[in-house]
Amino acid sequence: MSDANPLPTEPERIVVPLLKQFHSGKVSAIMALYDAEAVFIASDEGTITDHTEVAARLERDLTVGLTLKAKARQVFVAGDIARVVLDWSIDATGHDGKHVHLGGSASDVVRRSGDGRLRCLIESRDTSSKGGLRYARNGSSH
């Protein structure tokens, strides 16, 4: 990522590069926000640990051309790891021409890398999951 778009060093600042990279429309820009061991939890597809699959999921989101709004509601920090609870919303026009509003909360875990920058380690887009206990480790899920 260029210096014009640096990864954050403080968890409270994760939202700005997230939105900037999402709105760039480039999957590679968004993937730069993810840790090499990242786990992506999608309520409709289960747990994704393969970066190629995460990129495909993001590509699907980007091709729709949505405008994402997000705000950090809570930040909990423990050393080089932080949990960031985000409230997000998307307003768009549906295929039928009607206004569509989507929104919810996400709970992301970020980790400071050796370069001092924070990258997303666990992304959970919907914290209102109704499923039971789900266990995932990079490389496997249960």
Side-chain angles (χ1 to χ4, degrees), residues 119-137:
R119 290 174 176 82
C120 187
L121 184 62
I122 301 171
E123 179 179 344
S124 179
R125 289 200 175 172
D126 184 4
T127 59
S128 64
S129 175
K130 294 176 178 60
L133 176 65
R134 186 184 306 161
Y135 171 83
R137 179 177 295 173

Side-chain angles (χ1 to χ4, degrees), residues 100-116:
V100 176
H101 175 79
L102 303 170
S105 295
S107 178
D108 296 348
V109 176
V110 296
R111 175 170 64 183
R112 189 173 315 283
S113 298
D115 63 1

Side-chain angles (χ1 to χ4, degrees), residues 18-142:
L18 167 70
L19 293 175
K20 195 166 191 172
Q21 301 307 61
F22 184 88
H23 293 132
S24 77
K26 298 176 184 173
V27 173
S28 60
I30 298 171
M31 290 304 294
L33 299 172
Y34 286 88
D35 189 271
E37 298 176 345
V39 174
F40 184 96
I41 303 167
S43 59
D44 60 338
E45 296 176 22
T47 303
I48 304 170
T49 58
D50 179 75
H51 272 224
T52 303
E53 290 179 45
V54 172
R57 170 67 188 249
L58 293 170
E59 180 73 36
R60 186 181 78 192
D61 292 349
L62 290 175
T63 58
V64 181
L66 302 174
T67 300
L68 173 68
K69 294 179 184 175
K71 182 179 180 181
R73 179 172 20 113
Q74 297 175 321
V75 178
F76 305 95
V77 180
D80 288 339
I81 297 175
R83 177 178 175 232
V84 181
V85 179
L86 304 167
D87 293 320
W88 60 270
S89 66
I90 296 172
D91 287 287
T93 302
H95 295 295
D96 59 2
K98 293 182 181 178
H99 178 259
V100 176
H101 175 79
L102 303 170
S105 295
S107 178
D108 296 348
V109 176
V110 296
R111 175 170 64 183
R112 189 173 315 283
S113 298
D115 63 1
R117 303 291 182 179
L118 293 165
R119 290 174 176 82
C120 187
L121 184 62
I122 301 171
E123 179 179 344
S124 179
R125 289 200 175 172
D126 184 4
T127 59
S128 64
S129 175
K130 294 176 178 60
L133 176 65
R134 186 184 306 161
Y135 171 83
R137 179 177 295 173
N138 187 284
S140 68
S141 62
H142 305 281

